[in-house]
Amino acid sequence: MDAIDLLKDQHRQLEKQFSALKKADVVRPEDFKAASDLLVTHITIEEQRFYPAVQAGRTEDILLESLEEHLSIKRVLADMLTLASDDPQFGPKLHVLAEQLEHHHKEEEDHLFPKVEKLLDAAAREQLGADMQTLADALEHRA
C-alpha cells in the first residue's frame, strides 16, 4: 500500500475511534486502549519510517512541526493513561487529544503529503508503505 494512503487510512480510523470515545457516555477502558494503541503505532511508524524517508529541504519545516505536534499528543496521552475514564479530567483531555489529532492530520494531508508525492514516486511510496505496514504489524503483535 502507498505510504500516504496507509497514513490517511490510519488518520480516518483514529478520528473515528476518538470521535466515538468523545460521544460515549462512559468510556470503556478497552475502547480507549484500542484507540491509544493505534495512535502509538501510527506515531511510531511516522517517526521511525515515514519522516526519515521523506526528509528533504522542502519538507524539513513541516516535519519539525509534526514532531512537535507528536510530542504534545504524547504528553496528553501519557496524562490520560494515568487517569480512570470516570476521572473529571479524562473527558476534557480526551477532547483536547481528539482536536490535536484532527489538526495534525489536516496539516499533514494539506501540506506534507502533497510534497511527498512530488518527492517520492509511486514505487518508492509503495515500498515505504510496505516497510511501515511491517513495523505496524510488529507493534500490534507486541500490544
Side-chain angles (χ1 to χ4, degrees):
M1 173 182 275
D2 182 290
I4 292 173
D5 292 338
L6 174 64
L7 294 177
K8 285 181 178 180
D9 286 350
Q10 287 185 345
H11 288 173
R12 299 298 84 77
Q13 285 180 286
L14 286 164
E15 290 162 3
K16 181 179 177 182
Q17 288 181 346
F18 278 93
S19 178
L21 290 172
K22 283 189 335 185
K23 293 175 184 174
D25 292 330
V26 176
V27 174
R28 298 179 338 161
E30 58 269 23
D31 293 339
F32 180 67
K33 182 182 181 328
S36 298
D37 287 348
L38 178 58
L39 176 56
V40 170
T41 295
H42 176 76
I43 287 173
T44 301
I45 67 171
E46 279 190 334
E47 290 180 357
Q48 291 186 9
R49 296 293 189 272
F50 187 72
Y51 292 171
V54 302
Q55 189 169 1
R58 59 184 167 197
T59 61
E60 188 173 356
D61 58 332
I62 299 169
L63 293 177
L64 291 173
E65 183 178 336
S66 289
L67 287 169
E68 288 300 319
E69 290 171 352
H70 279 188
L71 184 58
S72 178
I73 289 167
K74 289 177 194 177
R75 286 181 182 139
V76 175
L77 182 60
D79 287 349
M80 292 180 71
L81 291 172
T82 66
L83 300 173
S85 61
D86 61 350
D87 186 293
Q89 291 182 324
F90 188 89
K93 286 185 181 292
L94 179 60
H95 284 269
V96 167
L97 181 60
E99 288 174 2
Q100 286 181 336
L101 286 173
E102 289 173 18
H103 170 80
H104 177 68
H105 297 164
K106 183 165 176 35
E107 289 286 314
E108 284 185 338
E109 291 178 20
D110 290 351
H111 303 290
L112 178 60
F113 293 172
K115 289 182 179 185
V116 170
E117 287 173 336
K118 292 176 183 171
L119 185 66
L120 300 178
D121 65 21
R125 291 193 314 270
E126 285 290 327
Q127 181 58 53
L128 178 57
D131 293 345
M132 291 164 54
Q133 187 63 59
T134 298
L135 177 56
D137 292 343
L139 292 169
E140 288 172 12
H141 286 71
R142 278 198 277 165

